[in-house]
Amino acid sequence: MSLDDDIDLIASAPVFAQLSAEQLRLLAFGAERMTFRSGRTIFRQNDAADCGYVIANGTIHLFVETEQGAKFVKEIGRPSLVGQIALITQTDRSTTAVADTDCALLRINRSLFQRMLREYPETAAAIHGYLRRELETMLADIGKLQSRFAVVRDL
């Protein structure tokens, strides 16, 4: 992949859609290209998180570890960003990510992303708005499922 390919890939991830060409170039230049063979673990639940991954190709499965074993959460592929909260704040991974197929990823570390936000504060506000909308959507989806939890609790 060339730098221009990396820029296009980063721009295609919804959270980065509002970034300028200069901002995209900064992230692409500092990103690390990584590959994972099918079945390889990319990160584990509860690991310290210091980066996000943009999926260039392939698919990743996310799992949550429970007392009964690993439970599948969802499958994600290009151009998703995995671990976006780790770009904003110090946190631990909430899931385990495993390459379902051979994958190519761009690893964007928190310090690079935060440098970009410091240099472009207007972008920080736009990304905050995007993350807020994503959180509101997630909470609405959880609210729709609340009645299912009540049924299980009553059994």
Side-chain angles (χ1 to χ4, degrees), residues 26-114:
L26 174 66
L27 290 181
F29 187 75
E32 176 186 0
R33 292 185 198 113
M34 303 182 80
T35 58
F36 291 87
R37 306 288 280 162
S38 178
R40 291 272 321 272
T41 299
I42 299 165
F43 56 78
R44 293 191 184 283
Q45 183 176 332
N46 299 321
D47 284 352
D50 66 346
C51 67
Y53 298 92
V54 180
I55 302 172
N57 63 47
T59 56
I60 293 173
H61 283 178
L62 298 178
F63 298 91
V64 174
E65 302 296 333
T66 70
E67 290 178 8
Q68 294 78 31
K71 300 293 182 192
F72 176 79
V73 175
K74 72 178 180 176
E75 177 179 283
I76 52 177
R78 182 185 173 120
S80 297
L81 171 64
V82 183
Q84 62 190 19
I85 298 302
L87 294 175
I88 305 295
T89 189
Q90 186 174 346
T91 188
D92 293 334
R93 300 286 182 195
S94 60
T95 60
T96 294
V98 176
D100 180 52
T101 63
D102 290 352
C103 293
L105 310 174
L106 285 180
R107 181 184 185 277
I108 300 173
N109 70 46
R110 181 185 314 123
S111 61
L112 171 66
F113 187 73
Q114 289 183 346

